Amino acid sequence: MEVERTLGLIKPDAYAKGVVGRILARAEEAGLTIVALKTVHWTRDEAAGFYAVHKERPFFGSLVEYMTSGPVVAVLFEGPDAIKKWRDLMGPTDATKAPTGTLRGDYGTSIEANATHGSDASETAAFEIGYLFSGFEQVK
């Protein structure tokens, strides 16, 4: 297994529910190491830049609106197969279809308010990590 880095976001709905600590604990229990961590409250431009890959999608506007509705916790995880491990822990994107025991199944309520975000590939992770964390913020 390759040691990877991936970005995780704890979205505004999970932040508002007060489950940030539980989500982080579950990530660590799954074998992910927290390399960097911070709370941000994005502007519309910052959220739009992060989700620019979805700019032409019909849900882009509501996604940007939702992601600016409250604080977001950004986490840089590291570990063997970190991308797959985090995505498996999160569960399916649509929280209404996510099984109990996954983060989205336990803490999400919809396809948008689904508690967490995770990079879907190493290229995406590189962009997302660089977008949120400067080099000096990352433990080497």
Side-chain angles (χ1 to χ4, degrees):
M1 286 189 274
E2 180 184 349
V3 173
E4 298 176 317
R5 287 188 168 188
T6 192
L7 182 84
L9 296 179
I10 301 173
K11 294 182 175 183
D13 60 304
Y15 187 95
K17 288 177 188 170
V19 296
V20 171
R22 290 183 222 164
I23 290 171
L24 294 174
R26 285 174 61 176
E28 288 184 316
E29 289 163 7
L32 294 167
T33 300
I34 297 170
V35 176
L37 175 74
K38 66 179 168 183
T39 303
V40 297
H41 196 152
W42 279 338
T43 65
R44 291 186 60 71
D45 287 343
E46 290 165 341
F50 183 82
Y51 286 107
V53 67
H54 299 302
K55 188 172 183 169
E56 301 304 319
R57 309 289 285 276
F59 59 82
F60 179 75
S62 67
L63 177 61
V64 168
E65 187 72 26
Y66 164 67
M67 291 302 291
T68 59
S69 69
V72 173
V73 176
V75 189
L76 173 49
F77 291 117
E78 182 178 80
D81 289 326
I83 294 169
K84 181 180 183 331
K85 194 173 285 186
W86 177 242
R87 292 188 68 78
D88 288 347
L89 187 61
M90 288 191 305
T93 303
D94 187 344
T96 64
K97 297 177 181 164
T100 300
T102 64
L103 297 174
R104 290 172 171 163
D106 294 347
Y107 303 120
T109 57
S110 70
I111 197 162
E112 197 167 78
N114 61 5
T116 57
H117 164 87
S119 306
D120 62 0
S122 57
E123 298 79 20
T124 309
F127 167 77
E128 292 178 347
I129 291 165
Y131 195 87
L132 282 154
F133 294 102
S134 65
F136 74 89
E137 293 177 302
Q138 302 177 34
V139 174
K140 303 292 181 211

